[in-house]
Structures are given as C-alpha cells and as structure tokens.
C-alpha cells in the first residue's frame, strides 16, 4: 500500500504520461496525412521558430515544481526545537541497535541515525507495511530526523542502503509505539 | 504551406547523403571496428541479461542462489548491462554515425584502446564478481568494498577496482577519439583554426553563423550530443578514476582510507554523468536516423544548440542528487550541494525536451517510412519521454523519503536504459546491420515480434518494479518481504515474454548471418529484409 505522498507522485506521473502518450499518438497519426501529401504539407519554419517557446514553457513548469518542492527537502524540514524523545539508531552489519525501543503516540521523536561500519539506511515501516521514514546511516556522521507517531503498534526498521551479503536480513522487527 | 527554412530533401537524397565519404580503406576499417563492438557488446548483453533474469527469479522464489552470489550476480549484471552492453554498443556505433555525417575516424589507435581496455575490464569484472565473489554492487559504496563480512578479500577489491578502471580507460579513449574526430577538418570551417573547429563542434556555428562559418552550410546535428558527451565523460571519469586508485591503494595498504562522504561525491561525480554516456549518443543516433525515415532535415535551430551547451556545463554539476539523503547534522556543504543540484538537474531536462520536440516536429506530417528499425526508434523515443518524466520526479529532493533506494529507482533506470537506449540500440541494429553486414534482415515479421515482445514484456516488468517501489519495496534485496511477492511473480511473467522476444531476435539474427543472400548495402540501409 502506498503512502499519501507515494499516491500523489503516482497520480501526477500518470497524468503527465497520459498527456505525453496522447501527443505522441497525435504525432504518429499525422504521418497518415503526411503520406498523402508526401510530407509537403507542413510549415517547418514555423515549427522551428516555436521551439524556443517550448523550451520556455518547460523551464516554466520546472520552475514551478522547484518552487513548490525545494522547501520540502528533508534538510529544510528539520528544526532545532527540543523533542520529547531521542532515539539512537545505529546500523552495524547486519542489524540495528535501537535505544529506546519504545515511544508513545503523540510524542515528538527524534531519531539520531548513524553507522558503525558501512553505509546503511533506516527505512521505518508502519504496521500496514508503508514506509514512513527513510534516513541514511553514514559511518562517522549522524543524521537527525523527527517524527510524531499517531498510530500505536509495532513498527519495523529495514536497511535501505546496500551493506553486504545479509543486507536483506537487516531488519529490526519490533519498534513499539504505545497508546 | 512549405517554406525553405528547413526544406525536405529532394526525393532520393536523404539527410546527410551529401556527406563526403572517406577512402574505401577507412570505411572498411571503420566497418570492421563497429561490427566488432556490436558483436562483443551483444555477447555481453546475453550474459548480463541471463544474470538479470536470475536476480528476479530468485526474488520470485523460483530458484535459489547463495546470498553473496546473488549480490555478486547483481554487481556483474549492473556493470555488464549498463557499461559493457549499452554503453559499449553506443560507443562503437558513434564512429559509424560520425562517418555517415562526414566525420570519419582520423586515427584508429584510440578506438582500439577503447575496445581492448573495455574487453579486459569486463573480463576482470566477471572474474572478480562471479568467481571471486565481489558483491559490492555496481556503485560499490565505500567503505563496503573493504567490509565484506568475510565474503571477499581486499585483494579482490583491488583487482575489481583495476578492472573498472580499465573500463574507465576505455571511456577516456572513446571520448578522446570522438573529440579528435569531431574537431577535425570534417566540419569544413571556412577559417581553419582550432578555435573555429571547436566552435563549430559545439554548436556555435548555429548560434553565431557569421562568426563560425562552414562550407557545409549547417553542421550535422548528431555532432552536438556526441561532442558534449565526450567532454563531459572525460571530465566526469577523472574523479571516479581517483576513487578507484584510492581503492587500489587501500587494497594493499590497510592503513589508508578516505572520507566516506568524499568517496560518495567522487563516485556520483561519474555515476550520474555515465547515464549520458548512453543517452547522448542515443540522442545523436536519433538525430541521424529519424530525419532519414521522415525524409526531411531535423527541425531544429538555435534552441537545440543552447540546450546542448547547457548539457555541456550542467551535466558536471548534478551528482549530489544521488546524495540527497546524505545530509549529516552540521555538514552544511552536503546540504548546500543538494539544494543547488536540484535546479541544475532540472536544467538537464532541456536537452531532452528540445530533442523530443525536434524529433516530433521532424516526424509531424512527414511521409514517414515505417519498418522494424523505425518502429523500434519510435518506441525508444516514447520511452525517453516516459522515463524522462520519472527522472524529474527522481531529481526532486522532497520526494526522496518515499523513493530513495526503492525499486521505483530500479524500474526507472531500466525504463530509461533498456526501453529508451536499449530500443534505440535494437533499432540501430535493424537499421545499420544490413549495410554493415552487406545483407538484409532475414525476416521482417520476426522483427515485429521482437519489438512487441520487448515493449510489452519490459514495460510490464518495470511497471511492477515501480509500483513496488512506491509501496516501499527496498532495492538490492535478494529476498523481498512477503508483501511484495505477488507483483514479483507477475513481473516474472512479463520477463518470460521479454526473454522469448530476445530469442526470436537471436534466431532472426542467426538466420540472417547464415542464410540471407541479400547483398545490396545501399538499399539495405533503410532496413531491407528478405521476407
């Protein structure tokens, strides 16, 4: 099951793919007319002159997307406000050291994620199996990421950065969120 | 209404047919070189494809593989499919397209270095992965190569690094050969200085025609992406080579180590531009072939030249989008790089967007020649659009908490690499092999089966991966969690269709080589077939 962000990405992507396919089909369909008039029925100079405007249109769309999203980059969404609970997560081939292992729903929790050997990543999955957090674990560095749990239950941490031959077994199965 | 700005060529004279051809000896040597690369890279595809199939069959629990062997296979598959097949093929075909637009190879030394260093590098990669167990993935994220948990030795890491370095030497030789070829007399600068040649090569003749004059009227558009790629890949390979040299040193000296974040940046300074080692030559090949099937010059002007200059510069400043999720506390440089490199990555959309516009305008209401080759090209172009849209999503930092290191990314790059560049490669084989081999394809209908089986099979498979990724399925897991098993099984069905389509292609190619008596290279250029 997808998260709301995942669903939003999928819907937006499918809309643009559909538009692209419609345009592609129209271009290919036009060759039927091209066959009848031996390719002479088109003003190529006009098409050439319009190309920069297409470029401007694309730049405009990208600028809008940039303006809407750059402020949501993970490093901009963290703040220095004190959190209710600090959870230390340390990756080590092939497991996670998690302390404490239990928090309460409604608390502001800050995960401090690092690694003792190679690069790992903490993928946090809710009881429905949706990934709700994705933080790299880099040896020698710490990344802090905050989250407020609303739903009690058993959460799972999976390694999302390839770390060796037991990478797929690097799972912490029981991070508890109590009511 | 017709105008004369970009006139359709006269009947019987297709775009670039007026290009001056080199001596027969040079043509023959180029033909042999290109054919050698095509056959060798296709052999690499067979191996890499089988390895890829094993990976997915293991995930679907159809077969069993040892854990480390699975990751070693994954490493070999990634490098084999991306560099040794697609990259190598397009490196080879570059010289054929350049010759066809009037820029023959000026020295065969560099292309030979390109060929042999790639072959030696690939042999080393195969040995160190499949036999010695190096399973660090094709990005071998430092310091994993030296923390194998007992699965391979530091010495194996050293030999693996040297092998990848050899592939890097191949890329450097290729880039040098392309620039040596392009910045030659073939563009016929009116004032024959190096500055004028360089200016013409990078599109300044289109932007400032009165300052950069050529006797050819207009420079052939395929030159632009080839030349831009050559400069960028030359520069991007150097930091990567440095990382590999560091790894070789560490493999013999345990006291040596490098900063983890620095290693990541060195890796991706190459690791993203290398995508364009495939995409830009693919764009150049579209620029060459599509106008021939449409029967008119590429509809393009100054905008395309500007776009390729943007690519020339921005391509070198996008690597940090692979490191969006590496933003350690207090490490503001990495965060700043991430902030800067979202817009620079967006800027790289322009060459694709304008190329797609030019190609669409060229096809629009043309008397387009439909055959197997051109259908493959069209399918590849549509995939370029689809995968490009995915690329914009991937370039957006805010989406990474959902997408980073999931199977969405795997689906995306297979969509781009296999369904854009890969289909272009098959299209180029259908288009060029008749002339290169001196005989037409044995069976057109088998070519159509190959096309539809490949498109349906591959889209079914990558779509499953992308949905799994959006649902949070981690990438590079030999055994996926139970919740993703259904889609994995469905994707195996599509993979079976994909494999069947490649077997049809192999049969058609084999039969063509054995039985096709057709011997009219000129006519065959348009994709001639026997039946």
């Amino acid at each position: 099951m997808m998260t709301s962000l995942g669903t939003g990405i999928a819907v937006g992507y499918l809309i643009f793919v559909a538009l692209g396919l419609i345009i592609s089909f129209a271009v290919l369909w036009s060759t039927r007319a091209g066959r009848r008039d031996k390719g002479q029925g088109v003003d190529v100079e006009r098409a050439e002159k319009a190309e920069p405007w297409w470029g401007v249109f694309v730049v405009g769309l990208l600028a809008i997307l940039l303006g809407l999203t750059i402020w949501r980059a993970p490093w901009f969404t963290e703040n220095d406000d004190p959190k209710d609970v600090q959870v230390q997560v340390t990756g080590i081939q092939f497991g996670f050291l998690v302390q404490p292992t239990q928090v309460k729903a409604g608390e502001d929790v800050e995960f401090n994620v690092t690694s003792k050997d190679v690069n790992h990543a903490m993928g946090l999955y809710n009881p429905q199996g949706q990934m709700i957090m994705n933080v790299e674990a880099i040896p020698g560095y710490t990344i802090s990421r905050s989250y407020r749990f609303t739903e009690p239950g058993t959460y799972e941490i999976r390694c999302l950065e390839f770390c060796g031959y037991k990478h797929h077994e690097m799972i912490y199965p029981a991070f508890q969120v109590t009511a | 209404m017709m105008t004369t700005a970009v006139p359709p060529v006269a009947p019987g004279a297709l775009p670039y047919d007026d290009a001056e051809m080199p001596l027969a000896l040079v043509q023959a040597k180029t033909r042999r070189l290109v054919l050698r690369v095509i056959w060798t890279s296709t052999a690499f595809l067979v191996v890499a494809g089988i390895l890829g199939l094993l990976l997915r069959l293991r995930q679907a629990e159809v077969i069993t593989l040892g854990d480390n062997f699975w990751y070693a296979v994954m490493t070999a598959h990634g490098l084999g499919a991306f560099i040794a097949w697609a990259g190598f093929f397009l490196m080879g075909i570059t010289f054929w397209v350049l010759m066809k637009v009037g820029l023959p190879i000026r020295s065969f030394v560099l292309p030979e270095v390109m060929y042999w260093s790639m072959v030696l590098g690939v042999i080393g990669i195969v040995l160190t992965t499949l036999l010695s167990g190096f399973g660090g993935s094709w990005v071998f994220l430092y310091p994993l190569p030296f923390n194998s948990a007992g699965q391979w030795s530091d010495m194996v890491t050293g030999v693996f690094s040297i092998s990848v370095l050899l592939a890097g030497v191949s890329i450097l030789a290729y880039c040098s050969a392309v620039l040596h070829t392009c910045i030659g007399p073939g563009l016929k600068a009116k004032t024959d200085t190096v500055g004028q040649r360089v200016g013409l090569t990078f599109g300044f003749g289109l932007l400032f025609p009165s300052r950069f004059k050529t006797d050819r009227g207009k420079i052939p558009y395929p030159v632009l992406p080839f030349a831009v790629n050559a400069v960028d890949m030359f520069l991007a390979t150097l930091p990567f080579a440095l990382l590999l040299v560091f790894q070789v040193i560490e493999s013999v000296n345990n006291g040596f180590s490098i900063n983890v974040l620095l290693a990541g940046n060195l890796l991706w300074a190459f690791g993203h531009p290398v995508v364009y080692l495939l995409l830009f030559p693919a764009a150049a090949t579209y620029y060459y072939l599509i106008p021939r099937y449409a029967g008119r010059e590429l509809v393009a002007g100054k905008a395309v030249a500007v776009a390729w200059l943007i690519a020339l510069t921005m391509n070198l400043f996008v690597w940090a989008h692979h490191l969006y999720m590496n933003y350690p506390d207090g490490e503001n440089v990495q965060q700043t790089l991430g902030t800067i490199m979202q817009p620079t990555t967006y800027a790289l959309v322009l060459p694709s967007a304008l190329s797609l516009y030019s190609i669409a305008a060229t096809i629009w209401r043309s008397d387009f020649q439909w055959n197997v080759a051109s259908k493959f090209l069209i399918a590849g172009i549509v995939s370029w659009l689809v995968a490009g849209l995915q690329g914009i999503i991937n370039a957006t930092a805010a989406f990474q908490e959902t997408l980073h290191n999931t199977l969405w990314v795997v689906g995306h790059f297979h969509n781009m690499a296999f369904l854009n560049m890969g289909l272009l490669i098959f299209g180029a084989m259908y288009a060029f092999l008749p002339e290169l081999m001196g005989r037409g394809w044995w069976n057109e209908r088998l070519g159509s089966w190959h096309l539809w089986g490949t498109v349906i099979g591959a889209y079914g498979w990558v779509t499953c991966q992308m949905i799994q990724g959006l649902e949070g399925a981690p990438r590079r897991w030999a055994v996926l969690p139970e919740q993703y098993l259904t889609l994995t099984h469905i994707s195996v069905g599509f993979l079976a269709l994909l494999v069947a389509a490649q077997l049809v292609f192999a049969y058609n190619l084999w039969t063509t080589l054995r039985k096709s008596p057709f011997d009219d290279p000129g006519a065959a250029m348009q994709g001639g077939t026997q039946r």
Side-chain angles (χ1 to χ4, degrees), chain A residues 1-3 5-7 9-10 12-13 15-21 23-24 26-56 58-59 61-63 65-78 93-94 110-112 117-119 121 125 128-145 156-171, chain B residues 1-8 67-68 71 74-75 135-137 141-144 147-149 151-152 218 221 259-261 296 298-304 323-329 331 334-336 338-339 342-343 346-347 349-350 353-361 363-370 378 382 385-387 389-390 392-393 396-406 408 415 466-467 469-481 483-484:
Chain A
M1 193 185 357
M2 293 178 198
T3 60
L5 178 59
T7 305
I9 291 170
Y13 165 68
I15 288 171
F16 277 93
V17 167
L19 284 172
L21 291 179
I23 294 168
S24 301
V27 170
L28 300 180
W29 190 258
S30 75
T31 61
R32 291 167 65 90
R35 177 164 299 162
R36 284 196 297 273
D37 57 32
K38 300 292 178 196
Q40 303 297 307
V42 61
D43 184 350
V44 288
E45 188 182 45
R46 194 170 152 196
E48 191 180 307
K49 282 182 176 170
E51 188 162 31
W53 294 108
W54 164 246
V56 169
V58 171
V59 169
L61 284 182
L62 291 170
L65 184 62
L66 180 69
L68 290 174
T69 62
I70 191 66
W71 310 110
R72 303 297 302 164
W75 53 91
F76 284 136
T77 53
E78 284 298 304
Q93 288 173 322
F94 296 96
E110 183 167 69
F111 291 93
N112 302 305
D117 41 38
V118 301
N119 292 277
Y125 289 75
Q128 289 76 44
Q130 296 171 313
M131 184 172 69
I132 56 172
M133 187 184 284
N134 184 343
V135 186
E136 289 285 311
I138 310 167
Y141 295 92
T142 298
I143 298 181
S144 300
R145 196 84 179 115
E156 193 170 273
I157 299 173
R158 300 172 185 163
C159 183
L160 286 185
E161 188 66 80
F162 178 59
C163 61
Y165 81 114
K166 292 292 181 187
H167 171 52
H168 55 280
E169 293 181 10
M170 189 165 160
I171 298 171
Chain B
M1 188 189 85
M2 255 317 299
T3 70
T4 54
V6 188
D67 287 341
N68 191 63
Y71 291 110
M74 180 187 77
T75 307
S137 92
L141 209 53
Y142 185 89
L144 178 60
N147 289 267
S148 71
Q151 299 303 302
W152 66 85
K218 212 172 191 181
Y221 284 103
N259 178 277
V260 175
L261 277 181
R296 65 164 67 116
L298 189 76
V299 179
K302 292 183 178 181
V304 162
L323 297 163
Y324 278 151
M325 303 308 284
N326 295 44
Y327 53 97
D329 299 352
E331 178 54 61
Q334 203 61 50
Q335 298 175 12
T336 305
T339 306
Q342 180 169 329
Y346 280 3
V349 173
L350 264 185
L354 292 172
S355 292
L356 289 170
Y357 176 94
S358 283
I359 289 167
I363 296 170
W364 180 260
R365 291 197 68 160
S366 68
D367 186 7
F368 198 77
Q369 186 185 345
W370 291 100
I378 293 296
V382 174
L385 170 64
V386 172
L389 291 169
Q390 297 156 10
I392 295 170
I393 292 169
T396 304
F399 299 157
Q400 293 315 301
E401 206 143 38
T402 295
L403 303 176
H404 186 63
N405 277 335
T406 69
W408 163 276
N415 200 153
M466 291 171 65
I467 295 170
L470 285 169
E471 292 179 340
R475 73 186 288 197
R476 299 190 177 117
W477 274 39
V479 183
L480 285 167
Q483 70 193 89
Y484 308 112

Side-chain angles (χ1 to χ4, degrees), chain B residues 264-281:
Chain B
N265 283 279
L266 290 174
L267 168 74
W268 290 114
F270 167 86
H272 190 81
V274 77
V275 174
Y276 303 121
L277 175 68
L278 278 64
L279 182 59
F280 291 0

Side-chain angles (χ1 to χ4, degrees), chain B residues 433-458:
Chain B
L433 275 180
E435 188 179 17
L436 285 162
M437 298 188 300
R439 62 183 72 195
W441 283 91
W442 177 251
N443 192 311
E444 178 101 6
R445 184 176 297 171
L446 290 181
S448 290
W449 291 3
H450 177 214
L451 170 69
W452 288 109
T454 301
V455 169
I456 296 170

Side-chain angles (χ1 to χ4, degrees), chain B residues 81-115:
Chain B
F82 205 82
I83 305 289
W85 170 51
F88 195 28
F89 181 100
L90 288 160
M91 286 156 72
I93 211 75
T94 296
F95 298 109
W96 190 250
V97 175
L98 283 175
M99 190 185 80
K100 301 301 283 184
V101 300
L103 298 170
I105 295 173
R106 294 167 66 202
S107 163
F108 282 85
V109 174
L110 287 169
E112 289 296 340
V113 172
M114 172 198 89
Y115 179 84

